[in-house]
Amino acid sequence: MSFISLRSLSTRAIQISNTNKKNLLQSSTRLYTAASTPAKFATIDESARAQKQMAFGRELSAAASNAHGELRFDWKKEEIDAIYHSPIMELLYHGANVHRMHFDPLAVQQCTLLSIKTGGCSEDCKYCPQSSSYSTVVKAQKMLDTGEVLEAARAAKAAGSTRFCMGAAWRDLAGRKSNFKKIVGFVKEIRAMDMEVCCTLGMLNDEQAGQLKDAGLTAYNHNLDTSREYYPKIITTRSYDERLETISKVREAGISVCSGGIIGLGETDTDRVGMLHTLSTMPAHPESVPVNALLAVEGTPLEKQEPVKVWDMVRMIATARIVMPKTMIRLSAGRVRFTEPEQALCFMAGANSIFTGDKLLTTPNNKFNADQQMFDTLG
Amino acid sequence: MSFTSLRSLSTRAIQISNTKKNLLQSSTRLYTAASTPAKFATIDESARAQKQIAFGRELSAAANNAHGELRFDWKKEEIDAIYHSPIMELLYHGANVHRIHFDPLAVQQCTLLSIKTGGCSEDCKYCPQSSSYSTVVKAQKMLDTGEVLDAARAAKAAGSTRFCMGAAWRDLAGRKSNFKKIVGFVKEIRAMDMEVCCTLGMLNDEQAGQLKNAGLTAYNHNLDTSREYYPKIITTRSYDERLETISKVREAGISVCSGGIIGLGETDTDRVGMLHTLSTMPAHPESVPVNALLAVEGTPLEKQEPVKVWDMVRMIATARIVMPKTMIRLSAGRVRFTEPEQALCFMAGANSIFTGDKLLTTPNNKFNADQQMFDTLGLVPKAASFKVDLAAESPVNEKKECCGHDHAHA
């Protein structure tokens, strides 16, 4: 064959290849823009955008560099630390970017939390007014009865909540066979209401985990609270490894893991990064990570802690979002202290779950109507 | 040629084509050499949009229009749809468009000096400088050269890159000597390597020319609000007179700074209307100041409800999306907003502020508080730029029509 023909064939082949790709892309573009008015999407992808940023003479932030949205389980502490310390505006933007890769950007999960057994806890967690070690306004109570619990669940569902969480102030379930049996019953009933069910009941063994799984439990919460290094300053009656062990058992039983922590306990940035490192290097990322801002309660050793600033929440949330792209990031305790604009920043950074309802375990939550208003305002 | 060979040739051709893709990937590796090995999000907007639709959600107008390209033919309905997109969408897509053209962490710092205060013959209802209203603002003569240049030097020392001088006048008729002084100010301040801006009321061609020759960077002449609502706010000057002055500024080759005020009692439609007028001019303004009314006692608008941050976000994000290369300036009223609220404004696409304790007649955020905010948010000051701004030098619309004049934008 003549040289010219070969070239023309190659050219033709390239044309076909390009046309196919382009047409495919265009026709699929046409398909999914049929719903809206003819639109042009910003086709500058992240790499070009990054290139532009470098054209401004600015090195890419760690947040930008790591905002690929893919699941990694091998994060190094230094990487997470670099992300955490990126400029706030970068964390906000790239947190939002990663969030939008996996989630409907306007959807925020609404959960309701009920304390089914309050106070009189044998552990000594320094932030918690339920500990019997501290003299606080919280009085020890027996577990709620079935009627109360199921009513609360029904009310939560009616109010639009899609996950019902039950918390009991216990170290573990040893010697609580009948209470546990009741709880397994709660789980079955609430699951039958077509709601996600979650529990936080202290440490678990394999058998208990299995029973909860069989009853239909969606998720089990067991927070790490903080970094391994800072942990002993906060709790002495239970070890970090015991917590990791319970989380393992939950995971192995096939229950979704909900595990996060509290900021504002007096920890350093390094501790916050350390906690995120532990969470993001587990065999699987937790299904959800609650981020609590300490509400200092009178009577607890941490009663004099400075309130958490919104910028610390933003750093925590955005970093969690970037290193665990498919995990629900939940604004939990302490949200009540933040204004609507501050909460908007948290949602921007990648938070996509909140507790609704007037109370959490022992601390107040945002008023239900105020939350509905906020959803309306922010869209 | 046998069929097999044809196929192998095609395959080879496709391989060659794919190699181009590899080149792209390796260039990715090249420019990430500066940072730790990184993978960029390669999902482009169209895929992201596809995902959103996979959630069963129609794309917001903000999303649909966040392409970052200059358009001069916006329809009011399009801008209205963008304006009414969900807040979270406006924040995100405002940020997207912003990052297409601007360093995302750079915020321009300008300083505003009132060089002639009070005693104004116009009747703008928001303004305590009008002689029609009895307010705490007393009429004063123009500041002298020493005061003005001192203020400029102080502004520069404080990190400001643009110095703006405002005089409460309808126009410069019969103010020849004052105007001469101002032209002198412009020369001097330009020589300090700062951008210079004036707002002196209506201009004629000759005055515009003189200012241009003196080195004026930009001239401000706000539209204030929509054409429809405008008569409720000012009766002594018409909307067309304002548009005319803006034209003269543009024709003289001076950057146009024009924006408005929200919270005057206007509707969303009026806000959209103003953005429509600005974004369909022959060229987008170089900057658009967005003021939140600070209701001043003695003015007819003294009882207006303060502007909510969400209205600012809608205004800023919409302005950013429809005028992607324009500086969006948080102007009067910023003092009322908290740091988180300002962060939302920057997210939405605002990239310029006034620094210094005072604006024309209203207080501004404390200088130290602003430095603190920059530090908290990771913002950096934007450098002064003396080449003609993008909005003016870019083709003014697809057909390369300017204002009908044959001149260079230089």
Side-chain angles (χ1 to χ4, degrees), chain A residues 5-30:
Chain A
S5 320
L6 274 170
R7 262 183 91 200
S8 57
L9 278 166
S10 316
T11 315
R12 180 69 192 134
I14 293 170
Q15 278 176 354
I16 293 170
S17 163
N18 284 345
T19 316
N20 285 345
K21 281 195 199 143
K22 215 165 101 186
N23 282 348
L24 266 172
L25 190 64
Q26 278 178 346
S27 51
S28 61
T29 307
R30 279 196 285 276

Side-chain angles (χ1 to χ4, degrees), chain B residues 35 57 70 87 117 122 205 217 263 268 271 299 322 329:
Chain B
S35 24
R57 183 179 305 291
L70 295 182
I87 287 282
T117 309
E122 306 284 62
D205 291 309
T217 314
D268 289 346
R271 296 171 183 175
T299 63
V322 306
R329 188 166 297 121

Side-chain angles (χ1 to χ4, degrees), chain A residues 1 47 58 90 93 97 100, chain B residues 1 31 92 96 99 103:
Chain A
M1 221 167 99
S47 50
R58 182 179 309 295
E90 286 282 284
Y93 179 73
N97 264 344
R100 282 160 173 266
Chain B
M1 222 171 93
Y31 67 71
Y92 179 73
N96 265 343
R99 282 159 174 265
D103 177 351

Side-chain angles (χ1 to χ4, degrees), chain A residues 256-306:
Chain A
S256 291
V257 169
C258 171
S259 182
I262 315 174
I263 61 173
L265 304 167
E267 77 286 345
T268 63
D269 288 348
T270 310
D271 292 310
R272 296 172 183 173
V273 166
M275 186 185 94
L276 291 177
H277 179 250
T278 306
L279 289 170
S280 62
T281 52
M282 287 181 167
H285 290 163
E287 178 262 350
S288 48
V289 169
V291 180
N292 296 278
L294 176 73
L295 282 168
V297 182
E298 206 180 310
T300 62
L302 294 175
E303 59 186 355
K304 298 241 181 296
Q305 282 298 121
E306 282 298 308

Side-chain angles (χ1 to χ4, degrees), chain B residues 190-224:
Chain B
R190 185 67 188 76
M192 297 180 200
D193 268 326
M194 278 209 292
E195 297 177 13
V196 200
C197 173
C198 288
T199 180
L200 315 167
M202 301 191 284
L203 280 188
N204 62 34
D205 291 309
E206 208 225 294
Q207 291 153 350
Q210 285 193 43
L211 287 168
K212 172 68 179 169
N213 291 336
L216 189 71
T217 314
Y219 190 89
N220 167 275
H221 203 65
N222 285 336
L223 290 180
D224 282 352

Side-chain angles (χ1 to χ4, degrees), chain A residues 29-267:
Chain A
T29 307
R30 279 196 285 276
L31 269 170
Y32 66 69
T33 61
S36 26
T37 49
K40 253 173 21 185
F41 297 108
T43 49
I44 295 177
D45 69 352
E46 288 304 317
S47 50
R49 215 194 296 273
Q51 210 159 15
K52 183 139 198 126
Q53 211 166 323
M54 286 176 136
F56 289 119
R58 182 179 309 295
E59 205 181 282
L60 281 188
S61 67
S65 296
N66 288 290
H68 43 70
E70 290 175 28
L71 295 183
R72 275 186 59 188
F73 304 91
D74 60 348
W75 294 100
K76 297 200 188 65
K77 265 192 194 171
E78 310 84 68
E79 292 176 309
I80 304 183
D81 192 81
I83 296 169
Y84 183 89
H85 287 109
S86 297
I88 287 281
M89 299 304 286
E90 286 282 284
L91 283 168
L92 285 167
Y93 179 73
H94 290 290
N97 264 344
V98 173
H99 188 64
R100 282 160 173 266
M101 286 177 202
H102 301 292
F103 291 100
D104 177 350
L106 298 180
V108 173
Q109 179 191 48
Q110 291 174 308
C111 313
T112 299
L113 182 54
L114 177 71
S115 180
I116 60 174
K117 183 271 179 182
T118 311
C121 182
S122 55
E123 306 284 63
D124 68 353
C125 314
K126 289 206 169 76
Y127 52 79
C128 188
Q130 301 199 58
S131 168
S132 47
S133 309
Y134 313 128
S135 137
T136 67
V137 292
V138 174
K139 299 288 157 256
Q141 294 162 25
K142 280 175 21 177
M143 196 168 97
L144 299 178
D145 64 47
T146 309
E148 288 176 282
V149 175
L150 296 185
E151 256 177 57
R154 270 179 226 113
K157 185 177 165 90
S161 213
T162 54
R163 178 177 289 203
F164 193 72
C165 312
M166 296 175 280
W170 288 322
R171 168 179 172 76
D172 58 25
L173 292 151
R176 303 185 199 273
K177 266 193 129 87
S178 61
N179 273 343
F180 182 65
K181 205 161 162 213
K182 276 190 186 168
I183 293 173
V184 171
F186 295 162
V187 171
K188 285 202 186 103
E189 293 272 355
I190 297 166
R191 187 69 189 76
M193 296 180 202
D194 270 325
M195 279 208 293
E196 295 176 7
V197 200
C198 172
C199 288
T200 179
L201 315 166
M203 301 191 287
L204 281 187
N205 61 34
D206 290 310
E207 207 224 296
Q208 291 153 350
Q211 285 194 42
L212 287 168
K213 171 70 177 169
D214 291 336
L217 189 70
T218 314
Y220 189 88
N221 166 277
H222 204 65
N223 286 336
L224 290 179
D225 282 352
T226 186
S227 70
R228 181 185 278 281
E229 294 76 22
Y230 196 64
Y231 183 90
K233 298 249 167 49
I234 298 299
I235 302 142
T236 68
T237 52
R238 189 190 312 177
S239 77
Y240 210 66
D241 283 317
E242 284 174 313
R243 292 197 179 235
L244 290 171
E245 176 118 358
T246 296
I247 291 170
S248 269
K249 291 189 196 293
V250 168
R251 191 187 310 119
E252 276 153 43
I255 303 170
S256 291
V257 169
C258 171
S259 182
I262 315 174
I263 61 173
L265 304 167
E267 77 286 345

Side-chain angles (χ1 to χ4, degrees), chain B residues 313-334:
Chain B
V313 166
R314 285 192 189 280
M315 201 67 186
I316 289 164
T318 308
R320 167 55 66 229
I321 287 171
V322 306
M323 292 178 280
K325 289 191 177 186
T326 296
M327 300 294 290
I328 307 289
R329 188 166 297 121
L330 285 183
S331 307
R334 182 170 70 88

